[in-house]
Amino acid sequence: MTTDTPTTFADFGLDPRIQSALDGLGFEKPTDIQSAALPPLLAGKDVIGRARTGSGKTAAFGLPLLHHLADSGRGVKALVLAPTRELAQQVSAALQSYGKGLGVEGVTIYGGAPYGPQLKALRRGVPIVVGTPGRLLDHLGSGALDLSQVEYVVLDEADEMLRMGFAEDVETLLGAITGPRQVALFSATMPGPIARIAKTYMNDPETIQMEQGAPATAHITQAWTRVPNRFKPDALRRALLGGDRGTTLVFARTRASCGDIASHLESLGLRVEPLHGDMNQKARERVLQRLRDAELEVVVATDIAARGIDVNHITQVVNLDLPENAEVYVHRIGRTGRAGREGRALTMVTPAEVRRFGFFQRKLNQPVQEVQLPSDRDLGMRGRGRLQKAIEDIDPELASDWLATLLEDEERSVEDIAAQALGLLAKMGGVPLAQDELDDGPPPWARRPNRPERQQRPQGNRPQGGPGPRQQGFGGPGGRPDTSSHVELFLPVGRQAGVRPADLVGALANEAGVPGNIIGRITIDDHKSFVGLPPDVAAQVLKRYPQIELRGRQVPLTKSRGRHPSLPNKPNKPWQKNHRGKGRG
Ligand code: AMP
């Protein structure tokens, strides 16, 4: 980018009706991609824009498109191809807002919608057609879509179209445009097949690479952390509660897991919604609206559902799993840092995936920094800081009458009442009070096992890969526990859900950091389970882990209210004997 590029939209000499629409929208300065792409596009040249989503690329190709088409007659003059219905709708909406003074009609064409209105618009000869390749091809095949008058073609998010298997459809559509036309191609990455399409269908294109040589994600602070799969719920908790509260988009691999992850985060007090393809359109739109209205702190989405997200205020993207390839990675993290803002991205990488993630980094020519997630004490201090800030924001006058009444009626000092109120706030906000007792070490999975100490432990009880001896806060090492004072935790799942003693020991060890050797009696009934723990450990676990992941599900953990009469007090099931025999040594 040179310094003599236009700095205001007025420098482009756009149709005054477009200029006044931009003024109305409050677009004062062109974004980098707009400054770079508008002059060649307005001059009729083909352009390849290597730009990320959120860079303002829609106006970059849309303003010249509208400028060319102002006062155009009937017949399809502009064809915009987009990978998804959501993007097609966004582009249409943007074109409509930029061109509202022009009176140029457009139609959005995508699969899954009724053919009737699309056919009607095409027959009427609307000049702007924005659509997804599949349905456009249907209309081309049936003769409803006539491309003989097309003058301006846009391929938006071309790499995404390729990834979704549209390359052939795109080529068929481009091949059907026989007359002279101007082509604009936008893509965050430039895989081989896209480069070939550009070579075949574009005429001496000017390539615009934003931030000279820098990848499209250079403005996003990227980090990764090494975490085994089973620790991911805890890692996510640390990532979300330990960072600046903003709006986070969490990517999950499957539709089913979105709901589970969202429930887990909700139990931590976060305002969160899942977003996935099993939800109907209305439910998805409701989530998107809440996100736009800044009512949500977290959205947990699958790749496909996340395509519908067009929000500029996402501050962080978390990849709970490694995306399938580097292109998907770029698209995912491009959901943050939009419209000139900064963004952050965190990717969770299992030990087995570290090499593959290294390959992504080399491919993107961008090193990503490995980070350690916050310790329990960091989280506690953050939580306390948040509460303190919230308290400072409250006008003391608000409750002064109430306080005066309390001071009059009861024999308590101001200090007592303040301390009690703080205690209650901490409890409600899930913020531990005894900060000094909180663990200040790295998260359980990131700890180095301390071999000599480990040998003191009874054999065979701690599941493989479980936390090392640093979990001492939960109980001393070694020795068969005295279980007479044990408190029982209750879990509303049992044998019918396939729960085995090893699952319970594993879940408590891996998620809550409870060493296997202090776990007491385990009882598993058809639909419920009980686990005995020393009272102090039980109290800590209950406080910090209202839910725990068991056989892939988040299961509430509560204190048992006394034993169910149907449950025997002594082990009488073969697996109980097994567990005790094997586990307790
Ligand atoms: P896009 O990359 O086209 O999806 O645009 C991202 C967001 O930036 C959209 O919400 C646009 O409305 C907004 N935007 C695009 N260009 C400008 C501009 N020059 N000034 C302010 N906002 C803009």
Side-chain angles (χ1 to χ4, degrees), residues 55 72 96 137 176 185 191 207 235 247 249 282 301 326 332 345 388 482:
S55 57
S72 103
Q96 210 170 357
L137 205 57
L185 183 155
T207 296
T247 308
L249 175 60
K282 224 170 136 194
R332 282 188 179 186
Q388 259 166 241
D482 167 16

Short mmCIF file of all heavy atoms in Angstrom, two decimals, residues 55 72 96 137 176 185 191 207 235 247 249 282 301 326 332 345 388 482:
data_model
loop_
_atom_site.label_atom_id
_atom_site.label_comp_id
_atom_site.label_asym_id
_atom_site.label_seq_id
_atom_site.Cartn_x
_atom_site.Cartn_y
_atom_site.Cartn_z
N SER A 55 -12.73 -7.42 6.66
CA SER A 55 -11.81 -6.37 6.24
C SER A 55 -12.52 -5.27 5.47
O SER A 55 -11.91 -4.28 5.09
CB SER A 55 -10.72 -6.98 5.35
OG SER A 55 -11.34 -7.63 4.25
N SER A 72 -28.84 0.67 -14.62
CA SER A 72 -28.76 -0.37 -15.66
C SER A 72 -30.17 -0.90 -15.94
O SER A 72 -31.05 -0.86 -15.09
CB SER A 72 -27.81 -1.46 -15.23
OG SER A 72 -28.50 -2.57 -14.79
N GLN A 96 -27.56 -3.87 -0.81
CA GLN A 96 -28.81 -3.12 -0.72
C GLN A 96 -28.59 -1.80 0.03
O GLN A 96 -29.08 -0.76 -0.36
CB GLN A 96 -29.84 -3.96 -0.01
CG GLN A 96 -31.23 -3.67 -0.46
CD GLN A 96 -32.18 -4.71 0.12
OE1 GLN A 96 -31.77 -5.64 0.80
NE2 GLN A 96 -33.46 -4.54 -0.15
N LEU A 137 -26.59 -23.05 -10.26
CA LEU A 137 -26.40 -24.01 -11.35
C LEU A 137 -27.74 -24.64 -11.75
O LEU A 137 -28.01 -24.86 -12.94
CB LEU A 137 -25.41 -25.08 -10.90
CG LEU A 137 -24.64 -25.80 -11.98
CD1 LEU A 137 -23.86 -24.83 -12.85
CD2 LEU A 137 -23.68 -26.81 -11.37
N ALA A 176 -20.12 -20.36 -18.42
CA ALA A 176 -21.36 -20.01 -19.11
C ALA A 176 -21.45 -18.51 -19.42
O ALA A 176 -22.35 -18.06 -20.12
CB ALA A 176 -22.56 -20.43 -18.26
N LEU A 185 -12.05 -11.49 -7.50
CA LEU A 185 -11.99 -12.73 -6.73
C LEU A 185 -11.42 -12.43 -5.34
O LEU A 185 -10.34 -11.85 -5.24
CB LEU A 185 -11.12 -13.73 -7.48
CG LEU A 185 -10.96 -15.15 -6.91
CD1 LEU A 185 -10.61 -16.12 -8.03
CD2 LEU A 185 -9.89 -15.24 -5.84
N PRO A 191 -5.35 -21.47 -2.52
CA PRO A 191 -4.96 -22.84 -2.87
C PRO A 191 -4.92 -23.03 -4.40
O PRO A 191 -5.53 -22.25 -5.13
CB PRO A 191 -6.06 -23.70 -2.24
CG PRO A 191 -7.14 -22.78 -1.81
CD PRO A 191 -6.66 -21.37 -1.89
N THR A 207 -3.28 -8.29 -8.28
CA THR A 207 -3.43 -8.95 -6.98
C THR A 207 -3.20 -7.95 -5.86
O THR A 207 -2.21 -7.23 -5.87
CB THR A 207 -2.44 -10.13 -6.85
OG1 THR A 207 -2.79 -11.09 -7.85
CG2 THR A 207 -2.56 -10.80 -5.49
N ALA A 235 -9.56 -26.75 30.58
CA ALA A 235 -8.74 -25.79 29.84
C ALA A 235 -9.62 -24.64 29.33
O ALA A 235 -9.25 -23.47 29.41
CB ALA A 235 -8.06 -26.48 28.67
N THR A 247 -16.18 -11.13 23.94
CA THR A 247 -17.10 -12.07 23.32
C THR A 247 -16.26 -13.15 22.64
O THR A 247 -15.41 -12.83 21.81
CB THR A 247 -17.99 -11.35 22.28
OG1 THR A 247 -18.57 -10.23 22.92
CG2 THR A 247 -19.07 -12.27 21.76
N LEU A 249 -15.91 -16.80 20.53
CA LEU A 249 -16.52 -17.82 19.69
C LEU A 249 -15.70 -19.09 19.88
O LEU A 249 -14.50 -19.10 19.62
CB LEU A 249 -16.48 -17.37 18.23
CG LEU A 249 -16.97 -18.36 17.19
CD1 LEU A 249 -18.42 -18.75 17.44
CD2 LEU A 249 -16.82 -17.76 15.79
N LYS A 282 -34.97 -20.65 13.10
CA LYS A 282 -35.45 -19.62 14.02
C LYS A 282 -34.56 -19.57 15.28
O LYS A 282 -34.17 -18.51 15.74
CB LYS A 282 -36.89 -19.93 14.43
CG LYS A 282 -37.76 -18.71 14.42
CD LYS A 282 -39.21 -19.08 14.57
CE LYS A 282 -39.81 -18.11 15.57
NZ LYS A 282 -41.10 -18.55 16.05
N ALA A 301 -19.93 -23.03 18.56
CA ALA A 301 -20.48 -23.32 17.23
C ALA A 301 -19.66 -24.35 16.47
O ALA A 301 -18.48 -24.56 16.75
CB ALA A 301 -20.53 -22.02 16.42
N ALA A 326 -5.09 -25.93 7.48
CA ALA A 326 -4.68 -24.55 7.77
C ALA A 326 -5.68 -23.53 7.23
O ALA A 326 -5.89 -22.47 7.83
CB ALA A 326 -3.30 -24.30 7.16
N ARG A 332 -11.54 -19.73 10.60
CA ARG A 332 -12.07 -19.69 11.97
C ARG A 332 -11.56 -18.46 12.71
O ARG A 332 -12.34 -17.69 13.26
CB ARG A 332 -11.62 -20.93 12.74
CG ARG A 332 -12.42 -22.16 12.40
CD ARG A 332 -11.99 -23.21 13.36
NE ARG A 332 -12.69 -24.46 13.19
CZ ARG A 332 -12.54 -25.49 14.00
NH1 ARG A 332 -11.71 -25.41 15.01
NH2 ARG A 332 -13.20 -26.59 13.79
N ALA A 345 -6.75 -15.43 19.30
CA ALA A 345 -7.18 -16.79 18.98
C ALA A 345 -6.35 -17.76 19.81
O ALA A 345 -5.14 -17.59 19.96
CB ALA A 345 -6.97 -17.06 17.50
N GLN A 388 -14.57 -6.70 42.44
CA GLN A 388 -14.22 -5.39 43.00
C GLN A 388 -14.61 -4.27 42.04
O GLN A 388 -15.17 -3.26 42.45
CB GLN A 388 -12.71 -5.32 43.23
CG GLN A 388 -12.36 -5.55 44.69
CD GLN A 388 -10.89 -5.81 44.88
OE1 GLN A 388 -10.53 -6.87 45.35
NE2 GLN A 388 -10.06 -4.88 44.51
N ASP A 482 -8.29 -43.57 55.73
CA ASP A 482 -9.30 -43.89 56.73
C ASP A 482 -10.61 -43.34 56.19
O ASP A 482 -10.79 -42.14 56.07
CB ASP A 482 -8.92 -43.21 58.04
CG ASP A 482 -10.08 -43.24 59.02
OD1 ASP A 482 -11.03 -44.04 58.80
OD2 ASP A 482 -10.03 -42.47 60.00
#
